[in-house]
Amino acid sequence: MEQEFPGQHTTSTTVTTTSSPTSIRFDKSYLRTLPGMLKAAQAILNLLGFICISVAAGSYSSSGNYFNTVAMIGFWITVTLLALYLFHVVEKFNIIPWLKIEMYFCGALSIFYFAAACVAATNVSIDPSYGAGAFFGFCATAAYIYDAWMKFNGVRSGACAQGQHPSSKPVSTVTSPAY
């Protein structure tokens, strides 16, 4: 006896969407993550280096001005990024390639900071405060290099800057009538 193909079957497709909350909200727990601690450390190092060079004799020289320019650019951009992460603005605007932008920023700033710290180290004979500024400059260089490396790995692996990538998965089910 030959079994017949059922005359009716039903196919239904369901799309499940997963996304992270995209509301702007304050989340102080970001400061306990490695990227959050790194941004906070970078901001503090920028500020300490700026203060050391600003109080040094001859801080008005071109080398002092260069160091302070690099330190303030680093400080303001880093503090702005920290605020964007703390308030989940980065998560809300996930279409922007945040990791790439930060990777290039951290890479460029590490080069500029290394040059500024080297120049400050050569001016220690003018004022010992340049030595302290150079120390904070080299520490900031290391922090920005590490941050650039972390962002590079994130870009390479396709990671999201904050939250999760919104995704949708179609799920199909076929239902046959009972015999």
Side-chain angles (χ1 to χ4, degrees):
M1 175 168 205
E2 189 175 319
Q3 196 172 24
E4 292 182 20
F5 188 74
Q8 295 181 4
H9 67 276
T10 307
T11 303
S12 63
T13 303
T14 308
V15 177
T16 57
T17 304
T18 60
S19 65
S20 52
T22 57
S23 62
I24 295 178
R25 63 197 183 280
F26 179 71
D27 182 15
K28 68 179 179 180
S29 68
Y30 177 74
L31 288 172
R32 286 183 244 131
T33 65
L34 181 60
M37 288 186 284
L38 196 54
K39 278 184 185 49
Q42 290 165 346
I44 292 168
L45 290 168
N46 285 319
L47 197 56
L48 289 173
F50 175 80
I51 291 169
C52 289
I53 299 300
S54 293
V55 300
S59 63
Y60 54 86
S61 67
S62 59
S63 58
N65 285 335
Y66 175 70
F67 188 97
N68 283 341
T69 300
V70 171
M72 282 296 97
I73 288 172
F75 175 78
W76 288 112
I77 293 176
T78 302
V79 167
T80 301
L81 285 169
L82 181 61
L84 292 176
Y85 277 100
L86 281 171
F87 287 97
H88 287 265
V89 175
V90 170
E91 185 177 15
K92 182 154 182 78
F93 298 106
N94 61 3
I95 192 86
I96 298 171
W98 292 104
L99 287 180
K100 269 188 187 173
I101 292 168
E102 285 188 76
M103 178 185 70
Y104 291 130
F105 164 71
C106 290
L109 200 63
S110 65
I111 293 167
F112 294 140
Y113 237 128
F114 182 73
C118 287
V119 169
T122 61
N123 288 327
V124 173
S125 61
I126 296 172
D127 191 324
S129 296
Y130 275 102
F135 171 76
F136 293 122
F138 286 124
C139 290
T141 300
Y144 281 111
I145 287 172
Y146 182 64
D147 201 6
W149 179 75
M150 283 180 22
K151 300 301 188 247
F152 172 76
N153 286 336
V155 167
R156 196 170 69 187
S157 69
C160 191
Q162 187 175 32
Q164 299 174 354
H165 285 295
S167 64
S168 58
K169 297 179 189 178
V171 177
S172 296
T173 57
V174 176
T175 308
S176 299
Y179 293 104

